[in-house]
Amino acid sequence: MALLHRATLHPTKLDLLTAWLPGRQWFAGPTGVELVSRGAYRFDDPAGEVGIETMLVGAADGPVHHVPLTYRAAPLDGADGWLVGTTEHSVLGRRWVYDGCVDPVYAAALAHAILTGSGQAEQYFEVDGRREVREPTVTVVVDGAADAQVPTVGAVRRVVDEDRTLIDTGTVELVVVRRPGAGADGPAGGMLSGRWHGQSTTVPLAYVRTR
């Protein structure tokens, strides 16, 4: 479950991504234009410390990019090169926003979502003491099994940041598809797929393989 705050961010997530995304080697599309959101989905951090949101963004007339983000209350050690930026959250204060591919909390959440078949977290707003469901903007499908044994996912040992970004944790290898629907088969292993407004068919978003 992901409990969301009705809050403002300055700068916004799209502002941060508009400045950061064109510098990635896997970015495709026009530069110098504002990005628009195609949808997003979330995972839950069991410890309740790190926000985990994956956004699908692109220019209005460009390809869609798949960008996992983590939101932290303090800097992540050793991850300066993966910092998307900082933002002021009207409820939580300053948040450090990272490319989730370097964040061990994201890696563990993605592996769990695929291997157990749990998929994305349900999203809620707290309104007058009660919880209201936020309808998802991305439909996520996973092929894991509820009784699967999920290995402990520790530190991220290596990230190869290409069109299909490899995350190596020692116990699992994860692959994040940066431009969904761009073709080419993925690696063997469990898969997370999704569709969203403007994407009528389900396309691969990420893969996991245990060692």
Side-chain angles (χ1 to χ4, degrees), residues 82-169:
W82 300 84
L83 180 68
V84 177
T86 59
T87 186
E88 294 296 330
H89 190 287
S90 61
V91 175
L92 301 175
R94 177 161 295 183
R95 308 298 284 175
W96 279 258
V97 183
Y98 289 94
D99 181 340
C101 291
V102 77
D103 197 317
V105 175
Y106 169 74
L110 178 59
H112 183 272
I114 299 176
L115 293 173
T116 67
S118 58
Q120 65 181 309
E122 288 191 308
Q123 300 179 46
Y124 296 86
F125 285 114
E126 190 84 31
V127 181
D128 297 328
R130 69 181 190 280
R131 290 176 178 174
E132 291 186 356
V133 176
R134 181 187 187 186
E135 293 300 322
T137 54
V138 177
T139 300
V140 167
V141 179
V142 291
D143 60 6
D147 59 351
Q149 294 297 311
V150 181
T152 300
V153 177
V156 173
R157 303 196 313 184
R158 180 173 62 110
V159 179
V160 182
D161 195 26
E162 299 177 343
D163 293 358
R164 292 173 180 260
T165 296
L166 171 69
I167 307 167
D168 179 9
T169 72

Coordinates of all heavy atoms in Angstrom, one line a residue, residues 82-169:
W82 N 23.7 9.7 -9.5 CA 22.4 9.3 -9.9 C 21.3 10.2 -9.3 O 20.1 9.8 -9.4 CB 22.2 7.8 -9.4 CG 23.2 6.9 -10.0 CD1 24.4 6.6 -9.5 CD2 23.0 6.1 -11.2 NE1 25.0 5.7 -10.3 CE2 24.2 5.3 -11.4 CE3 21.9 5.9 -12.1 CZ2 24.4 4.5 -12.4 CZ3 22.1 5.0 -13.1 CH2 23.3 4.3 -13.3
L83 N 21.7 11.3 -8.8 CA 20.7 12.2 -8.2 C 20.0 13.0 -9.3 O 20.6 13.6 -10.2 CB 21.4 13.2 -7.3 CG 20.5 14.3 -6.6 CD1 19.6 13.6 -5.6 CD2 21.4 15.3 -6.0
V84 N 18.7 12.8 -9.4 CA 17.9 13.6 -10.4 C 17.8 15.1 -9.9 O 17.8 16.0 -10.7 CB 16.5 12.9 -10.5 CG1 15.6 13.8 -11.5 CG2 16.6 11.5 -11.0
G85 N 17.6 15.3 -8.6 CA 17.5 16.6 -8.1 C 16.9 16.6 -6.7 O 16.6 15.5 -6.1
T86 N 16.8 17.8 -6.1 CA 16.1 17.9 -4.8 C 14.8 18.7 -5.0 O 14.7 19.6 -5.9 CB 16.9 18.5 -3.7 OG1 17.3 19.8 -4.2 CG2 18.2 17.7 -3.4
T87 N 13.8 18.5 -4.2 CA 12.6 19.2 -4.3 C 12.0 19.4 -2.9 O 12.4 18.7 -1.9 CB 11.5 18.4 -5.1 OG1 10.4 19.2 -5.3 CG2 11.2 17.1 -4.5
E88 N 11.3 20.5 -2.7 CA 10.6 20.8 -1.4 C 9.2 20.3 -1.5 O 8.4 20.8 -2.3 CB 10.7 22.3 -1.2 CG 12.1 22.9 -1.0 CD 12.8 22.3 0.2 OE1 12.1 22.0 1.2 OE2 14.0 22.2 0.2
H89 N 8.9 19.4 -0.6 CA 7.6 18.8 -0.4 C 6.8 19.5 0.7 O 7.4 19.7 1.8 CB 7.8 17.3 0.0 CG 6.5 16.5 -0.1 ND1 5.5 16.6 0.9 CD2 6.1 15.5 -0.9 CE1 4.6 15.7 0.6 NE2 4.9 15.1 -0.5
S90 N 5.6 20.0 0.4 CA 4.9 20.9 1.3 C 4.5 20.2 2.6 O 4.2 20.9 3.6 CB 3.7 21.5 0.7 OG 2.8 20.4 0.3
V91 N 4.6 18.9 2.6 CA 4.3 18.1 3.9 C 5.6 17.5 4.5 O 5.8 17.6 5.7 CB 3.2 17.0 3.6 CG1 3.0 16.2 4.9 CG2 1.9 17.6 3.1
L92 N 6.4 16.9 3.6 CA 7.5 16.1 4.1 C 8.8 16.9 4.1 O 9.8 16.4 4.7 CB 7.7 14.9 3.3 CG 6.5 13.9 3.2 CD1 6.8 12.8 2.3 CD2 6.2 13.4 4.6
G93 N 8.9 18.1 3.6 CA 10.1 18.9 3.5 C 11.0 18.5 2.4 O 10.5 18.0 1.3
R94 N 12.3 18.7 2.5 CA 13.2 18.5 1.4 C 13.3 17.0 1.1 O 13.4 16.2 2.0 CB 14.6 19.0 1.7 CG 15.6 18.7 0.6 CD 16.8 19.6 0.6 NE 16.4 21.0 0.4 CZ 17.3 22.0 0.3 NH1 18.5 21.8 0.5 NH2 16.8 23.3 0.0
R95 N 13.2 16.7 -0.2 CA 13.3 15.3 -0.6 C 14.4 15.2 -1.7 O 14.5 16.0 -2.6 CB 12.0 14.7 -1.2 CG 10.8 15.0 -0.4 CD 10.9 14.2 0.9 NE 10.6 12.8 0.8 CZ 10.8 11.9 1.8 NH1 11.1 12.4 3.0 NH2 10.5 10.7 1.6
W96 N 15.3 14.1 -1.5 CA 16.3 13.8 -2.5 C 15.7 12.8 -3.5 O 15.3 11.7 -3.1 CB 17.6 13.3 -1.8 CG 18.4 14.4 -1.3 CD1 19.6 14.9 -1.8 CD2 18.2 15.1 0.0 NE1 20.1 15.9 -1.0 CE2 19.3 16.0 0.1 CE3 17.2 15.1 1.0 CZ2 19.4 16.9 1.2 CZ3 17.3 16.0 2.0 CH2 18.4 16.8 2.1
V97 N 15.7 13.1 -4.8 CA 15.1 12.3 -5.8 C 16.2 11.6 -6.6 O 17.1 12.3 -7.2 CB 14.2 13.2 -6.7 CG1 13.5 12.2 -7.8 CG2 13.2 14.0 -5.9
Y98 N 16.2 10.3 -6.6 CA 17.2 9.5 -7.3 C 16.6 8.6 -8.4 O 15.5 8.2 -8.4 CB 17.9 8.6 -6.3 CG 18.8 9.3 -5.3 CD1 18.3 9.7 -4.1 CD2 20.1 9.6 -5.6 CE1 19.1 10.3 -3.2 CE2 20.9 10.3 -4.7 CZ 20.4 10.6 -3.5 OH 21.2 11.3 -2.6
D99 N 17.5 8.4 -9.4 CA 17.2 7.3 -10.4 C 17.1 6.0 -9.6 O 18.1 5.6 -9.0 CB 18.3 7.3 -11.4 CG 18.0 6.2 -12.5 OD1 17.3 5.2 -12.2 OD2 18.6 6.3 -13.6
G100 N 16.0 5.4 -9.5 CA 15.8 4.2 -8.7 C 16.7 3.1 -9.0 O 16.9 2.2 -8.2
C101 N 17.3 3.0 -10.2 CA 18.1 1.9 -10.6 C 19.4 1.7 -9.7 O 20.0 0.7 -9.6 CB 18.5 2.0 -12.0 SG 17.1 1.7 -13.2
V102 N 19.8 2.8 -9.0 CA 20.9 2.7 -8.1 C 20.5 2.5 -6.7 O 21.4 2.2 -5.8 CB 21.8 4.0 -8.2 CG1 21.1 5.1 -7.4 CG2 23.2 3.7 -7.7
D103 N 19.2 2.5 -6.4 CA 18.7 2.4 -5.0 C 18.4 1.0 -4.6 O 17.5 0.4 -5.2 CB 17.5 3.3 -4.9 CG 17.2 3.7 -3.4 OD1 17.2 2.8 -2.6 OD2 16.8 4.9 -3.2
P104 N 19.0 0.5 -3.5 CA 18.7 -0.9 -3.2 C 17.3 -1.1 -2.7 O 16.7 -2.2 -2.8 CB 19.7 -1.2 -2.0 CG 20.1 0.2 -1.5 CD 20.1 1.1 -2.7
V105 N 16.6 -0.1 -2.2 CA 15.2 -0.2 -1.8 C 14.3 -0.4 -3.1 O 13.4 -1.3 -3.1 CB 14.7 1.0 -1.1 CG1 13.2 1.0 -0.8 CG2 15.5 1.1 0.3
Y106 N 14.6 0.3 -4.2 CA 13.9 0.0 -5.4 C 14.2 -1.4 -5.9 O 13.3 -2.1 -6.4 CB 14.3 1.1 -6.5 CG 13.7 0.7 -7.9 CD1 12.4 0.8 -8.2 CD2 14.6 0.2 -8.8 CE1 11.9 0.4 -9.4 CE2 14.1 -0.2 -10.1 CZ 12.8 -0.1 -10.4 OH 12.3 -0.5 -11.6
A107 N 15.4 -1.8 -5.9 CA 15.8 -3.1 -6.5 C 15.1 -4.2 -5.7 O 14.5 -5.1 -6.3 CB 17.3 -3.3 -6.4
A108 N 15.0 -4.1 -4.4 CA 14.3 -5.1 -3.6 C 12.8 -5.1 -3.9 O 12.2 -6.2 -4.0 CB 14.6 -4.9 -2.1
A109 N 12.2 -3.9 -4.0 CA 10.8 -3.8 -4.3 C 10.4 -4.4 -5.7 O 9.4 -5.1 -5.8 CB 10.4 -2.4 -4.2
L110 N 11.3 -4.1 -6.7 CA 11.0 -4.6 -8.0 C 11.1 -6.1 -8.1 O 10.2 -6.8 -8.6 CB 12.0 -4.0 -9.0 CG 11.8 -4.5 -10.5 CD1 10.5 -4.2 -11.0 CD2 12.9 -3.8 -11.3
A111 N 12.2 -6.7 -7.4 CA 12.3 -8.1 -7.4 C 11.1 -8.8 -6.7 O 10.6 -9.8 -7.2 CB 13.6 -8.5 -6.7
H112 N 10.7 -8.2 -5.6 CA 9.6 -8.8 -4.8 C 8.3 -8.7 -5.7 O 7.5 -9.7 -5.7 CB 9.4 -8.0 -3.5 CG 8.3 -8.5 -2.7 ND1 7.0 -8.1 -2.8 CD2 8.3 -9.5 -1.7 CE1 6.3 -8.8 -1.9 NE2 7.0 -9.6 -1.2
A113 N 8.1 -7.6 -6.4 CA 6.8 -7.4 -7.1 C 6.7 -8.4 -8.2 O 5.6 -9.0 -8.5 CB 6.8 -6.0 -7.7
I114 N 7.9 -8.7 -8.9 CA 7.8 -9.7 -10.0 C 7.8 -11.1 -9.5 O 6.9 -11.9 -9.9 CB 9.0 -9.5 -10.9 CG1 9.0 -8.1 -11.6 CG2 9.0 -10.5 -12.1 CD1 10.2 -7.8 -12.4
L115 N 8.7 -11.5 -8.6 CA 8.8 -12.9 -8.2 C 7.6 -13.4 -7.4 O 7.3 -14.6 -7.5 CB 10.1 -13.0 -7.4 CG 11.4 -12.8 -8.1 CD1 12.6 -12.8 -7.2 CD2 11.6 -13.9 -9.2
T116 N 7.0 -12.5 -6.6 CA 5.8 -12.9 -5.9 C 4.5 -12.7 -6.6 O 3.4 -13.1 -6.2 CB 5.7 -12.2 -4.5 OG1 5.5 -10.8 -4.7 CG2 7.0 -12.4 -3.7
G117 N 4.6 -12.0 -7.7 CA 3.3 -11.7 -8.5 C 2.5 -10.6 -7.8 O 1.3 -10.4 -8.2
S118 N 3.1 -9.8 -6.9 CA 2.3 -8.8 -6.2 C 2.0 -7.6 -7.0 O 1.1 -6.8 -6.8 CB 3.0 -8.5 -4.8 OG 4.3 -8.0 -5.1
G119 N 2.9 -7.3 -7.9 CA 2.7 -6.1 -8.8 C 2.9 -4.8 -8.1 O 3.6 -4.7 -7.1
Q120 N 2.1 -3.8 -8.5 CA 2.2 -2.5 -8.0 C 1.4 -2.3 -6.7 O 0.5 -3.1 -6.4 CB 1.7 -1.5 -9.0 CG 0.2 -1.6 -9.3 CD -0.2 -0.5 -10.4 OE1 0.1 0.6 -10.3 NE2 -0.9 -1.0 -11.4
A121 N 1.8 -1.3 -5.9 CA 1.1 -1.0 -4.7 C -0.2 -0.3 -4.9 O -0.3 0.5 -5.9 CB 2.0 -0.2 -3.7
E122 N -1.3 -0.6 -4.2 CA -2.5 0.2 -4.2 C -2.1 1.6 -3.6 O -1.4 1.7 -2.6 CB -3.6 -0.4 -3.4 CG -4.2 -1.7 -4.1 CD -5.5 -2.1 -3.4 OE1 -5.5 -2.3 -2.2 OE2 -6.5 -2.3 -4.1
Q123 N -2.7 2.6 -4.2 CA -2.4 4.0 -3.8 C -3.7 4.6 -3.1 O -4.8 4.5 -3.6 CB -2.0 4.8 -5.0 CG -0.8 4.3 -5.7 CD -0.4 5.1 -6.9 OE1 -0.3 6.4 -6.8 NE2 -0.1 4.5 -8.0
Y124 N -3.4 5.3 -2.0 CA -4.5 5.9 -1.2 C -4.1 7.4 -0.9 O -2.9 7.7 -0.7 CB -4.7 5.2 0.1 CG -5.2 3.8 -0.1 CD1 -4.3 2.7 -0.2 CD2 -6.5 3.4 0.0 CE1 -4.7 1.4 -0.4 CE2 -7.0 2.1 -0.2 CZ -6.0 1.1 -0.4 OH -6.5 -0.2 -0.5
F125 N -5.1 8.2 -0.8 CA -5.0 9.5 -0.1 C -5.7 9.4 1.2 O -6.7 8.8 1.4 CB -5.7 10.6 -1.0 CG -4.9 11.0 -2.2 CD1 -5.4 10.8 -3.5 CD2 -3.7 11.6 -2.1 CE1 -4.7 11.1 -4.6 CE2 -3.0 12.0 -3.2 CZ -3.5 11.8 -4.5
E126 N -5.2 10.1 2.2 CA -5.8 10.3 3.5 C -6.7 11.5 3.4 O -6.2 12.7 3.2 CB -4.8 10.5 4.6 CG -5.3 10.4 6.0 CD -5.5 9.0 6.5 OE1 -4.7 8.1 6.1 OE2 -6.4 8.7 7.3
V127 N -8.0 11.4 3.6 CA -8.9 12.5 3.4 C -9.9 12.5 4.7 O -10.7 11.5 4.8 CB -9.8 12.4 2.1 CG1 -10.7 13.6 2.0 CG2 -8.9 12.3 0.9
D128 N -9.8 13.5 5.5 CA -10.6 13.6 6.7 C -10.7 12.3 7.5 O -11.7 11.9 7.9 CB -12.1 14.0 6.2 CG -12.1 15.3 5.6 OD1 -11.3 16.2 5.9 OD2 -13.0 15.5 4.7
G129 N -9.5 11.8 7.7 CA -9.4 10.6 8.6 C -9.7 9.3 7.9 O -9.8 8.2 8.6
R130 N -10.1 9.3 6.6 CA -10.4 8.1 5.9 C -9.5 8.0 4.7 O -9.0 9.0 4.2 CB -11.8 8.0 5.6 CG -12.3 8.9 4.5 CD -13.8 8.8 4.2 NE -14.1 9.6 3.0 CZ -14.4 10.9 3.0 NH1 -14.2 11.6 4.1 NH2 -14.7 11.5 1.9
R131 N -9.4 6.8 4.1 CA -8.5 6.6 3.0 C -9.3 6.4 1.7 O -10.3 5.7 1.7 CB -7.6 5.3 3.2 CG -6.6 5.5 4.2 CD -5.8 4.3 4.5 NE -4.7 4.6 5.5 CZ -4.0 3.6 6.0 NH1 -4.1 2.4 5.7 NH2 -3.0 4.0 6.9
E132 N -8.9 7.2 0.7 CA -9.6 7.1 -0.6 C -8.6 6.5 -1.6 O -7.5 6.9 -1.7 CB -10.0 8.5 -1.1 CG -11.1 9.1 -0.2 CD -11.6 10.5 -0.8 OE1 -11.0 10.9 -1.8 OE2 -12.5 11.0 -0.3
V133 N -9.1 5.6 -2.4 CA -8.3 4.9 -3.4 C -8.0 5.8 -4.5 O -8.9 6.5 -5.0 CB -8.9 3.6 -3.9 CG1 -8.1 3.0 -5.0 CG2 -9.2 2.6 -2.8
R134 N -6.7 5.9 -5.0 CA -6.3 6.6 -6.2 C -6.3 5.6 -7.3 O -5.5 4.6 -7.2 CB -5.0 7.3 -6.0 CG -4.6 8.1 -7.2 CD -3.2 8.6 -7.0 NE -2.8 9.5 -8.1 CZ -1.6 10.1 -8.2 NH1 -0.6 9.8 -7.3 NH2 -1.3 10.9 -9.2
E135 N -7.0 5.8 -8.3 CA -7.1 4.9 -9.5 C -5.7 4.9 -10.2 O -5.1 6.0 -10.4 CB -8.2 5.3 -10.4 CG -9.6 5.1 -9.9 CD -9.9 3.6 -9.5 OE1 -9.4 2.7 -10.2 OE2 -10.5 3.4 -8.5
P136 N -5.2 3.7 -10.5 CA -3.9 3.7 -11.2 C -3.9 4.2 -12.6 O -5.0 4.1 -13.3 CB -3.5 2.2 -11.2 CG -4.9 1.5 -11.1 CD -5.7 2.4 -10.3
T137 N -2.8 4.8 -13.0 CA -2.7 5.3 -14.4 C -2.0 4.4 -15.3 O -1.8 4.6 -16.5 CB -2.1 6.7 -14.4 OG1 -0.8 6.7 -13.7 CG2 -3.0 7.8 -13.7
V138 N -1.4 3.4 -14.7 CA -0.7 2.3 -15.4 C -1.2 1.0 -14.9 O -1.3 0.8 -13.7 CB 0.8 2.4 -15.2 CG1 1.5 1.2 -16.0 CG2 1.4 3.7 -15.7
T139 N -1.6 0.1 -15.9 CA -2.0 -1.3 -15.5 C -0.8 -2.2 -15.6 O -0.2 -2.3 -16.7 CB -3.1 -1.8 -16.4 OG1 -4.2 -0.9 -16.4 CG2 -3.5 -3.2 -16.1
V140 N -0.4 -2.7 -14.5 CA 0.8 -3.6 -14.4 C 0.4 -5.0 -14.3 O -0.5 -5.4 -13.6 CB 1.7 -3.2 -13.2 CG1 2.7 -4.2 -12.9 CG2 2.3 -1.8 -13.4
V141 N 1.2 -5.9 -15.0 CA 1.0 -7.3 -15.1 C 2.3 -8.0 -14.7 O 3.4 -7.6 -15.3 CB 0.5 -7.8 -16.4 CG1 0.3 -9.3 -16.4 CG2 -0.8 -7.1 -16.8
V142 N 2.3 -9.0 -13.8 CA 3.5 -9.7 -13.5 C 3.3 -11.2 -13.6 O 2.1 -11.6 -13.6 CB 4.0 -9.4 -12.1 CG1 4.5 -7.9 -12.0 CG2 2.9 -9.6 -11.1
D143 N 4.4 -11.9 -13.8 CA 4.2 -13.4 -14.0 C 4.8 -14.2 -12.9 O 5.1 -15.4 -13.1 CB 4.8 -13.8 -15.4 CG 6.3 -13.5 -15.5 OD1 6.9 -13.1 -14.5 OD2 6.8 -13.7 -16.6
G144 N 5.0 -13.6 -11.7 CA 5.5 -14.4 -10.6 C 4.5 -15.2 -9.9 O 3.3 -15.1 -10.2
A145 N 4.9 -16.0 -8.9 CA 4.0 -16.8 -8.1 C 3.9 -16.4 -6.7 O 5.0 -16.0 -6.1 CB 4.4 -18.3 -8.2
A146 N 2.7 -16.4 -6.1 CA 2.6 -15.8 -4.7 C 3.4 -16.6 -3.7 O 3.8 -16.0 -2.7 CB 1.1 -15.9 -4.3
D147 N 3.7 -17.8 -3.9 CA 4.5 -18.6 -3.0 C 6.0 -18.7 -3.3 O 6.7 -19.5 -2.7 CB 3.9 -20.0 -2.9 CG 4.0 -20.8 -4.2 OD1 4.3 -20.1 -5.2 OD2 3.7 -22.0 -4.2
A148 N 6.4 -17.8 -4.2 CA 7.8 -17.8 -4.6 C 8.7 -17.4 -3.5 O 8.4 -16.5 -2.7 CB 8.1 -16.9 -5.8
Q149 N 9.9 -18.0 -3.4 CA 10.9 -17.6 -2.5 C 11.8 -16.4 -3.1 O 12.4 -16.6 -4.1 CB 11.8 -18.8 -2.1 CG 11.1 -19.9 -1.4 CD 10.6 -19.5 -0.1 OE1 11.3 -18.9 0.7 NE2 9.3 -19.8 0.2
V150 N 11.7 -15.3 -2.4 CA 12.5 -14.1 -2.9 C 13.8 -14.0 -2.1 O 13.8 -13.9 -0.9 CB 11.6 -12.9 -2.7 CG1 12.4 -11.7 -3.2 CG2 10.3 -13.0 -3.4
P151 N 14.9 -14.1 -2.8 CA 16.2 -13.9 -2.1 C 16.3 -12.5 -1.5 O 15.7 -11.6 -2.0 CB 17.2 -14.2 -3.2 CG 16.5 -13.8 -4.5 CD 15.1 -14.2 -4.3
T152 N 17.2 -12.4 -0.5 CA 17.5 -11.1 0.1 C 18.2 -10.3 -0.9 O 19.2 -10.7 -1.5 CB 18.3 -11.3 1.4 OG1 17.5 -12.1 2.3 CG2 18.6 -9.9 2.0
V153 N 17.7 -9.1 -1.1 CA 18.4 -8.2 -2.1 C 19.1 -7.1 -1.3 O 18.4 -6.3 -0.5 CB 17.3 -7.5 -3.0 CG1 18.0 -6.5 -3.9 CG2 16.6 -8.6 -3.8
G154 N 20.4 -7.1 -1.3 CA 21.2 -6.2 -0.6 C 21.6 -5.0 -1.4 O 20.8 -4.4 -2.2
A155 N 22.9 -4.6 -1.3 CA 23.4 -3.4 -2.0 C 23.4 -3.7 -3.5 O 23.6 -4.8 -4.0 CB 24.8 -3.1 -1.5
V156 N 23.2 -2.6 -4.2 CA 23.4 -2.6 -5.7 C 24.9 -2.6 -5.9 O 25.6 -1.7 -5.6 CB 22.7 -1.4 -6.3 CG1 23.1 -1.4 -7.8 CG2 21.2 -1.5 -6.1
R157 N 25.4 -3.7 -6.6 CA 26.8 -3.8 -6.8 C 27.3 -3.1 -8.1 O 28.4 -2.6 -8.2 CB 27.2 -5.3 -6.9 CG 26.9 -6.1 -5.6 CD 27.6 -7.4 -5.5 NE 27.6 -8.2 -6.7 CZ 28.1 -9.4 -6.9 NH1 28.6 -10.0 -5.8 NH2 28.0 -10.0 -8.0
R158 N 26.4 -3.2 -9.1 CA 26.8 -2.6 -10.4 C 25.5 -2.2 -11.2 O 24.5 -2.9 -11.1 CB 27.5 -3.7 -11.2 CG 28.0 -3.3 -12.6 CD 28.9 -4.5 -13.1 NE 28.1 -5.7 -13.3 CZ 27.8 -6.2 -14.5 NH1 28.1 -5.6 -15.6 NH2 27.1 -7.4 -14.5
V159 N 25.6 -1.1 -11.9 CA 24.5 -0.7 -12.8 C 25.1 -0.4 -14.1 O 26.1 0.4 -14.3 CB 23.8 0.6 -12.2 CG1 22.7 1.0 -13.2 CG2 23.2 0.3 -10.9
V160 N 24.6 -1.0 -15.2 CA 25.0 -0.7 -16.5 C 23.8 0.0 -17.2 O 22.8 -0.5 -17.5 CB 25.3 -2.0 -17.3 CG1 25.7 -1.7 -18.7 CG2 26.4 -2.8 -16.6
D161 N 24.0 1.4 -17.3 CA 22.9 2.2 -17.7 C 22.8 2.4 -19.2 O 23.3 3.4 -19.8 CB 23.0 3.6 -17.0 CG 21.8 4.4 -17.0 OD1 20.7 3.8 -17.1 OD2 21.9 5.6 -16.9
E162 N 22.1 1.5 -19.8 CA 21.8 1.5 -21.3 C 20.3 1.5 -21.5 O 19.5 1.7 -20.6 CB 22.6 0.4 -21.9 CG 24.1 0.4 -21.7 CD 24.8 -0.8 -22.3 OE1 24.1 -1.8 -22.6 OE2 26.0 -0.8 -22.4
D163 N 20.0 1.3 -22.8 CA 18.6 1.2 -23.2 C 17.8 0.2 -22.3 O 16.6 0.4 -22.0 CB 18.4 0.9 -24.7 CG 18.9 1.9 -25.6 OD1 19.4 3.0 -25.1 OD2 18.8 1.7 -26.8
R164 N 18.5 -0.9 -22.0 CA 17.9 -1.8 -21.0 C 18.9 -1.8 -19.8 O 20.0 -2.4 -19.9 CB 17.8 -3.2 -21.6 CG 16.6 -3.2 -22.7 CD 16.6 -4.5 -23.4 NE 15.5 -4.5 -24.4 CZ 14.3 -5.1 -24.2 NH1 14.0 -5.7 -23.1 NH2 13.4 -5.0 -25.1
T165 N 18.6 -1.1 -18.8 CA 19.5 -0.9 -17.7 C 19.6 -2.1 -16.8 O 18.6 -2.6 -16.3 CB 19.1 0.3 -16.9 OG1 19.2 1.5 -17.7 CG2 20.0 0.5 -15.7
L166 N 20.8 -2.6 -16.6 CA 21.1 -3.8 -15.8 C 21.4 -3.4 -14.4 O 22.2 -2.5 -14.2 CB 22.3 -4.6 -16.4 CG 22.8 -5.7 -15.5 CD1 21.8 -6.9 -15.4 CD2 24.2 -6.2 -16.0
I167 N 20.8 -4.0 -13.4 CA 21.0 -3.8 -12.0 C 21.5 -5.1 -11.4 O 20.7 -6.1 -11.4 CB 19.8 -3.3 -11.3 CG1 19.2 -2.0 -12.0 CG2 20.1 -3.0 -9.8 CD1 17.8 -1.7 -11.5
D168 N 22.7 -5.2 -10.9 CA 23.2 -6.4 -10.3 C 23.3 -6.2 -8.8 O 24.1 -5.3 -8.3 CB 24.6 -6.7 -10.9 CG 25.3 -7.9 -10.4 OD1 24.6 -8.7 -9.6 OD2 26.5 -8.1 -10.7
T169 N 22.6 -7.1 -8.1 CA 22.7 -7.0 -6.6 C 23.4 -8.2 -6.0 O 23.5 -8.2 -4.8 CB 21.3 -7.0 -6.0 OG1 20.7 -8.3 -6.1 CG2 20.4 -5.9 -6.7

